[in-house]
Amino acid sequence: MKADRQRLKNKAKEFLRSLGTCWKDRTGRKMETAPKTARRRSLFKAVLNVAHKFLALLVRWLSQTIYGEHGKRMPPITNLILMESATSLAAKIRTRKLTSVEVTQAFIDRCKEVNPLLNCVVDERFEEALRDAERADKLVASGTMTVEQLEREKPFLGVPISTKDCIRVQGLLHTSGIWYRRNVRGEKDARTIELMRQAGAIPFALTNVSECCMWWESVNTIHGRSRNPYDANRIVGGSSGGEGCIQAAAASPFGLGSDIGGSIRMPAFFNGIFGHKPSKFVVSNEGQYPEALSEEQTSFLGIGPMCRYATDLKPVLRIIADEHAAKLRLDEPVDLKQVKFFYQPNDGGAHLVSPVDLDIRDAMEKVMAHFRATVKAEVRKVSLEKLRQSAPIWFANMKTPSKIGFDAQLANLQGTVNPWLELLKWPLNQSRHTLVGILTALTERGGVQYGSESYHYYVRQRNELAAEFREMLGENGVFIYPTHPTVAPYHNEPLIRALNFSYTAIINTLGLPATAVPLGVGREGLPIGLQVVGGVNQDRLCLAVACELERTFGGWVAPEVKA
């Protein structure tokens, strides 16, 4: 009976708390009600958000004071070969309008021209690439394969391709920006590079990444910092930042990036190019480092194409998807009039996330107006409340049962680094790690723990949000959403805007395909754009919308061109 009375009292407490009243315990002390606790928590968050916005404004003012209003831009484009898409170059090579040697040499020269300023290329195989180009030209000249055969079996014959320094290329560095991997070289190609070689592409340049590929500014203690082609004072994004940079600078016709929280789409956005994160489990991650630590993380991680022209996305995706390409139905025509468009202009006001820039909001409205008026498609504005929790959902779902921490990743899995010691060494320029790498190692084991009640709560939130997307998108819907809330910030600014990556990260946890689409430049002279998200294996919808937006709004905006 005594136990029953206690259970009743506990239930009464919960009921009265839900009504916002107080309950006295046996000592006569008032117990705090849930609404009061919620109000205090809400007030604390509001104060913290205001303080964060003030800090962001202060850091922006300091950055402008230190760097100046506008930094150096890259040298102008003088060789018009550099203005061609990869698809166009391949067609001209197999029909003998251009030689592979001409094309490869043009991009090698461009790399040498822009890299002293931009620092996007960290390793190369220029001489070997030229020999590969000679062999491609001999194959074309031999006539042993018809033009139609070449197009079908080697669609990118003779076209140079770049990739980031975490996707293995035989003979090139494979560091992932980790100091202890500074001398590691690829013993063989990653599966995606192998497939692109089979399609005739020629690997020629390796591009910069963030340390351990886990930050959205590409800087590390091996290769240094990459700089934005539109303003060298701004970031290129990460972790595929060097790849986004080389594409925007017209120093590579196309390339491969990888994405676990936005590492393709953020660099694509900041550099004004196209980037596609494929549906989960479609493209092989073999040969990528660091490796995913669980099946769940593998579903978040994906290798995908990065390029200046939307027309290159589909043929590259078809190649690297390999045996999974059939499930994407890439050759199935897409009638945009039959596509349902859903859009949300922001995340609903997430904690410590920057407001969406006016230029980006305006661009989104123009895009939706285009689909309403010109395409005559069904367009609907939505408000998905769970997007407000994007960052905590991503962080929680990234947790794994593995005992491998970030301190071990920084040591290349050969022991661990002491992040406290590294933090003391960093101001003296004695640490082998970036500040953000050290801070990540310090905080990574905190927060939500794998298997905890909070972990399961955020897993449920993710699953419920995934169900909302499935119901909303079906097999003929796309979701238009900001790729990032602001244009490319100044160097180091991401440290106080850390959670802005949540706009892309949440899409990874859902396993959905998403394409970053450039929409020109904004009032700061920097690229703007958005991401197009589809249902699982509905990548072709994202790509079709990207092509339509490129035709309408112009896509990649080339820097100064001198004919």
Side-chain angles (χ1 to χ4, degrees), residues 161-433:
I161 186 172
S162 51
T163 193
K164 65 189 289 192
D165 178 17
C166 76
I167 299 174
R168 195 173 57 223
V169 179
Q170 185 176 15
L172 295 189
L173 289 172
H174 190 217
T175 75
S176 299
I178 300 170
W179 175 265
Y180 291 100
R181 292 180 62 86
R182 65 192 181 281
N183 296 318
V184 175
R185 292 189 173 271
E187 295 180 358
K188 64 175 184 175
D189 289 335
R191 178 57 179 160
T192 48
I193 295 296
E194 180 185 3
L195 291 167
M196 291 305 298
R197 279 197 203 254
Q198 290 173 8
I202 301 172
F204 83 117
L206 194 74
T207 53
N208 205 19
V209 298
S210 53
E211 185 175 26
C212 206
C213 295
M214 285 299 288
W215 186 237
W216 53 278
E217 177 170 10
S218 288
V219 56
N220 58 71
T221 55
I222 306 171
H223 305 301
R225 186 186 309 276
S226 295
R227 303 174 189 88
N228 194 293
Y230 295 86
D231 181 346
N233 293 337
R234 307 293 186 122
I235 74 168
V236 296
S239 61
S240 310
E243 194 57 40
C245 177
I246 196 175
Q247 300 297 328
S252 172
F254 65 157
L256 298 180
S258 60
D259 191 317
I260 197 170
S263 289
I264 286 174
R265 287 158 292 153
M266 282 189 291
F269 169 77
F270 292 140
N271 294 280
I273 66 164
F274 293 87
H276 181 71
K277 183 204 84 68
S279 293
K280 61 182 179 181
F281 302 130
V282 164
V283 178
S284 171
N285 287 318
E286 187 278 327
Q288 184 171 187
Y289 190 90
E291 298 177 1
L293 298 176
S294 67
E295 185 77 356
E296 192 82 339
Q297 279 193 3
T298 300
S299 75
F300 302 165
L301 179 63
I303 294 176
M306 299 178 71
C307 48
R308 289 170 293 153
Y309 299 100
T311 51
D312 290 333
L313 294 171
K314 186 190 292 186
V316 175
L317 180 58
R318 181 186 290 108
I319 292 165
I320 62 176
D322 199 18
E323 72 269 17
H324 297 298
K327 69 173 67 171
L328 301 182
R329 298 177 290 160
L330 293 173
D331 292 324
E332 186 175 303
V334 175
D335 181 358
L336 292 178
K337 293 180 180 179
Q338 303 301 316
V339 174
K340 295 180 180 179
F341 290 84
F342 304 89
Y343 75 104
Q344 186 166 325
N346 56 54
D347 61 7
H351 189 48
L352 301 182
V353 176
S354 299
V356 177
D357 283 354
L358 178 61
D359 282 346
I360 298 170
R361 297 200 308 269
D362 287 347
M364 179 174 285
E365 290 299 334
K366 289 177 182 176
V367 166
M368 305 325 298
H370 167 73
F371 286 119
R372 284 192 190 98
T374 308
V375 180
K376 306 295 185 185
E378 180 182 339
V379 176
R380 183 154 64 93
K381 186 176 182 179
V382 297
S383 180
L384 301 175
E385 289 294 324
K386 287 185 175 60
L387 290 177
R388 189 179 294 179
Q389 299 187 75
S390 292
I393 289 173
W394 185 84
F395 281 117
N397 281 273
M398 279 287 288
K399 297 288 186 177
T400 73
S402 169
K403 301 300 183 183
I404 299 174
F406 199 71
D407 53 357
Q409 295 281 15
L410 292 180
N412 193 31
L413 304 183
Q414 297 173 2
T416 60
V417 301
N418 183 335
W420 291 109
L421 178 59
E422 295 301 325
L423 189 61
L424 291 174
K425 290 161 61 177
W426 186 82
L428 304 175
N429 201 30
Q430 297 300 306
S431 177
R432 293 168 173 170
H433 307 287

Side-chain angles (χ1 to χ4, degrees), residues 11 66 73 137 273 345 415 433 557:
K11 288 183 178 179
I66 294 168
R73 289 187 175 90
D137 289 332
I273 66 164
H433 307 287
V557 176

Side-chain angles (χ1 to χ4, degrees), residues 103-167:
V103 171
T104 303
Q105 187 66 61
F107 284 100
I108 289 172
D109 292 343
R110 181 62 173 169
C111 284
K112 292 177 179 179
E113 183 180 32
V114 302
N115 208 52
L117 172 64
L118 302 181
N119 191 36
C120 53
V121 177
V122 298
D123 201 8
E124 43 82 9
R125 56 184 300 277
F126 292 162
E127 291 184 9
E128 297 95 327
L130 286 171
R131 288 196 289 270
D132 291 343
E134 289 175 359
R135 285 191 283 271
D137 289 332
K138 287 179 180 177
L139 176 60
V140 173
S142 70
T144 55
M145 296 179 71
T146 66
V147 171
E148 292 74 22
Q149 282 179 303
L150 290 173
E151 183 177 9
R152 184 173 59 255
E153 298 176 28
K154 294 185 176 296
F156 287 109
L157 179 67
V159 181
I161 186 172
S162 51
T163 193
K164 65 189 289 192
D165 178 17
C166 76
I167 299 174

Side-chain angles (χ1 to χ4, degrees), residues 259-260 262 265 275-282 298-302 328 384 387 462 465-474 477-479 481 503-515 531-539 542:
D259 191 317
I260 197 170
R265 287 158 292 153
H276 181 71
K277 183 204 84 68
S279 293
K280 61 182 179 181
F281 302 130
V282 164
T298 300
S299 75
F300 302 165
L301 179 63
L328 301 182
L384 301 175
L387 290 177
R462 187 275 307 270
L465 182 59
E468 288 183 47
F469 267 92
R470 280 195 301 272
E471 183 178 354
M472 178 177 71
L473 298 179
V478 294
F479 178 60
Y481 195 50
Y503 274 83
T504 49
I506 190 64
I507 307 303
N508 294 75
T509 67
L510 304 175
L512 304 176
T515 306
Q531 59 179 325
V532 182
V533 181
V536 174
N537 295 336
Q538 307 299 327
D539 299 55
C542 302

